[in-house]
Amino acid sequence: MRNTLSIFAAGAIALAVSAQVSAADERYIIKFKNGKGAAVKAQMQQNGGRSALALDKRNAFAAYLPAKALSAMQNNPNVEYVEKDVKRYLLSQEVPFGIPMVQADLVDDGMAGNSTVCIIDSGYDISHEDLSGNMVTGTNDSGTGNWYEDQNGHGTHVAGTIAALNNSTGVVGVMPNGKVKLHIVKVFTAEGWGYSSSLVAAADTCADNGANVINMSLGGSLKSRTEDSAFADLYANRGVLSIAAAGNDGNTRHSYPASYDSVMSIAAVDSDKVIADFSQQTNQVELAGPGVNVLSSVPVGSAVVSSVSVAGSPVDSAGMEDSAMGSATGSLVDCGIGDYACTEAAGEICLISRGSISFADKVLNCEAGGGVGAIIYNNEPGMLYGTLGGVATSIPSVGISDTDGAALMNQLGASATVAVEPGDYAYFNGTSMATPHVAGVAGLVWSHYPNCAPGEIRAAMNATAEDLGVAGRDDAYGYGLVQAKAAFDYLAANACTGTNPGDGGSSGGGGGGKGGGKPNKL
């Protein structure tokens, strides 16, 4: 049976773009008394208000309220208070939550030129506004195409987490000043798989191009003796720290190369520092990084950005994967579950319930009836993230939540606008997304202490990680969440020797084993 690699990445979550809210229908936060939420919401809707966001843990919800509904809420004895839902603005550039979470913003990246991070992945979109200014070189694996192009999107997302530029647009990476040296080895095509031999060759190419750190957001379930030997040699004799994704199967099975002793295995946590349900938990997991809803760069125009506005108020939406691009406006028409040509929606916007038939067939039936745009609402709690499965359609189509769908059923006939447009940034989930946070931190810290051996950088990150889960190292979080400033301070207080812990003094480092010299649970 051949041993192949598979990329660990969930699909992108479309970015939502909100339309302007009309002055007569402003957004408020309503705080209700315990147990009175349903009654308060019912009165709000009866008076023309529309729910925007549930804050169940806070006994509150946000809603768009016309004057009548606002007065009703202000005079409802079950309402503790009503306040404006004041706006917060994206200040032209967003700092993804993972960057401060790993303390990358607390360590100066002015020395980043001392580090070379090699990314073995699907390529690098060099035309991207957040990546084009980096110091980047690359190598193509046989048959994969140009390293500076990315037909899959995964590699560009990984690269953005490590080195998206601080350029007043998009996002920022762990090292955003454009000084870190990147080397890209493209081993994956659009299909997203390759061979272990390709990975070994790519790792050797990384070392040949001066890499200190290798990022591998990839893996497979079978061992390879050749891989194991190659990464051990890179660690012990060539001064390379290899960092790989723990895997996305949500079980306790080992994944490789992450589970070789010479490679750091990285788990994924969410913005609350809780282990992701998909993150594999093994005795080889060493550190954790942010890996849920991670915003980063994708190849230009490959993201789906959607917006929905009904009666002048925005509705949270997610563009259907493979939706036609464009914008359409018309009256909102109920088309049931979309299992027939909805002729009553000719020239209008179809409102369709999820169920019975595919999303693609629902959109095609909307089209067949003359509809110019389709809104499909969920039939179970939460936002609807759907795909048309590659079926060609000609109208913009989006998914919305069950609650917004129910609210829109009370607004039939209102003017609605649906837009689906290409974008350059997307949210991904996976241990693939956690790995570049750790690889970036390794490169950032190492740039300040270039005389350290890979095992000493590894030991510093393990010793200073924020302990999560049960006390001490565990199979879910490893030693914990990587912390750049803490590791930087650790190395300032503990001078490097230039040898891996446990090496005994041989040049270039040595096989300190998993954990870089700290006790572990192997």
Side-chain angles (χ1 to χ4, degrees), residues 191-213:
E191 286 73 29
W193 66 271
Y195 291 99
S196 349
S197 57
S198 299
L199 180 58
V200 171
D204 284 338
T205 298
C206 288
D208 291 344
N209 283 274
N212 309 98
V213 179

Side-chain angles (χ1 to χ4, degrees), residues 33-366:
K33 296 179 180 178
N34 283 336
K36 301 300 181 181
V40 170
K41 287 181 182 179
Q43 188 197 32
M44 179 269 296
Q45 292 170 347
Q46 289 169 3
N47 284 276
R50 189 174 65 78
S51 294
L53 180 66
L55 301 171
D56 294 337
K57 293 180 180 178
R58 307 298 170 194
N59 279 353
F61 62 95
Y64 294 100
L65 303 179
K68 181 180 179 182
L70 174 60
S71 176
M73 293 296 94
Q74 290 172 331
N75 292 287
N76 189 320
N78 293 320
V79 172
E80 293 186 10
Y81 63 78
V82 180
E83 64 176 357
K84 279 277 188 75
D85 196 359
V86 294
K87 295 179 179 178
R88 297 291 182 258
Y89 297 93
L90 179 64
L91 301 177
S92 74
Q93 177 175 265
E94 184 169 347
V95 178
F97 78 88
I99 301 303
M101 182 180 283
V102 301
Q103 299 184 333
D105 57 335
L106 300 181
V107 178
D108 179 22
D109 66 340
M111 305 296 291
N114 289 330
S115 288
T116 298
V117 178
C118 190
I119 303 172
I120 301 175
D121 215 295
S122 62
Y124 179 102
D125 185 356
I126 204 166
S127 69
H128 198 287
E129 61 185 356
D130 252 342
L131 300 176
S132 60
N134 277 318
M135 298 177 61
V136 58
T137 56
T139 305
N140 305 324
D141 190 48
S142 177
T144 61
N146 297 321
W147 66 264
Y148 49 83
E149 298 173 339
D150 184 4
Q151 292 79 23
N152 181 285
H154 190 269
T156 298
H157 198 277
V158 165
T161 294
I162 294 172
L165 296 168
N166 185 6
N167 56 2
S168 301
T169 189
V171 297
V172 296
V174 172
M175 291 178 283
N177 72 357
K179 292 183 178 181
V180 62
K181 288 172 279 190
L182 301 175
H183 190 80
I184 310 302
V185 185
K186 183 174 182 176
V187 299
F188 295 112
T189 61
E191 286 73 29
W193 66 271
Y195 291 99
S196 349
S197 57
S198 299
L199 180 58
V200 171
D204 284 338
T205 298
C206 288
D208 291 344
N209 283 274
N212 309 98
V213 179
I214 297 177
N215 186 99
M216 295 177 288
S217 293
L218 51 86
S221 60
L222 300 179
K223 289 183 180 180
S224 163
R225 292 168 61 184
T226 306
E227 276 184 356
D228 193 3
S229 176
F231 286 112
D233 175 64
L234 291 172
Y235 182 67
N237 301 312
R238 302 198 66 181
V240 176
L241 182 58
S242 301
I243 301 173
N248 292 344
D249 289 339
N251 55 30
T252 58
R253 186 170 61 243
H254 287 110
S255 179
Y256 300 92
S259 293
Y260 301 130
D261 283 350
S262 56
V263 179
M264 299 187 76
S265 176
I266 309 304
V269 297
D270 64 18
S271 59
D272 292 323
K273 302 180 183 178
V274 175
I275 195 69
D277 58 5
F278 55 76
S279 189
Q280 281 167 239
Q281 302 184 25
T282 77
N283 60 359
Q284 290 285 332
V285 170
E286 201 157 339
L287 286 173
V292 179
N293 286 348
V294 174
L295 179 63
S296 188
S297 49
V298 292
V300 173
S302 65
V304 177
V305 182
S306 69
S307 63
V308 172
S309 175
V310 178
S313 297
V315 179
D316 289 339
S317 65
M320 285 281 162
E321 184 179 333
D322 300 320
S323 169
M325 299 292 162
S327 178
T329 298
S331 297
L332 193 64
V333 175
D334 179 17
C335 292
I337 60 171
D339 58 349
Y340 66 99
C342 192
T343 55
E344 58 266 43
E348 314 294 1
I349 303 296
C350 302
L351 179 62
I352 306 168
S353 172
R354 178 183 184 180
S356 299
I357 62 174
S358 70
F359 300 132
D361 286 338
K362 293 175 187 291
V363 176
L364 290 172
N365 283 332
C366 176

Side-chain angles (χ1 to χ4, degrees), residues 375-438:
I375 302 173
I376 304 174
Y377 61 91
N378 214 342
N379 60 2
E380 57 185 41
M383 177 63 73
L384 175 59
Y385 299 103
T387 178
L388 302 184
V391 175
T393 60
S394 61
I395 61 175
S397 55
V398 302
I400 63 173
S401 71
D402 56 323
T403 53
D404 281 335
L408 293 189
M409 285 296 291
N410 294 321
Q411 293 183 279
L412 298 175
S415 177
T417 298
V418 177
V420 179
E421 299 170 336
D424 304 337
Y425 300 86
Y427 293 93
F428 281 11
N429 300 306
T431 52
S432 280
M433 285 57 258
T435 303
H437 283 92
V438 179

Side-chain angles (χ1 to χ4, degrees), residues 103 107 445 449 464 483-494:
Q103 299 184 333
V107 178
V445 173
Y449 304 98
T464 58
Q483 299 287 275
K485 182 61 164 61
F488 173 91
D489 292 343
Y490 178 94
L491 290 171
N494 299 274

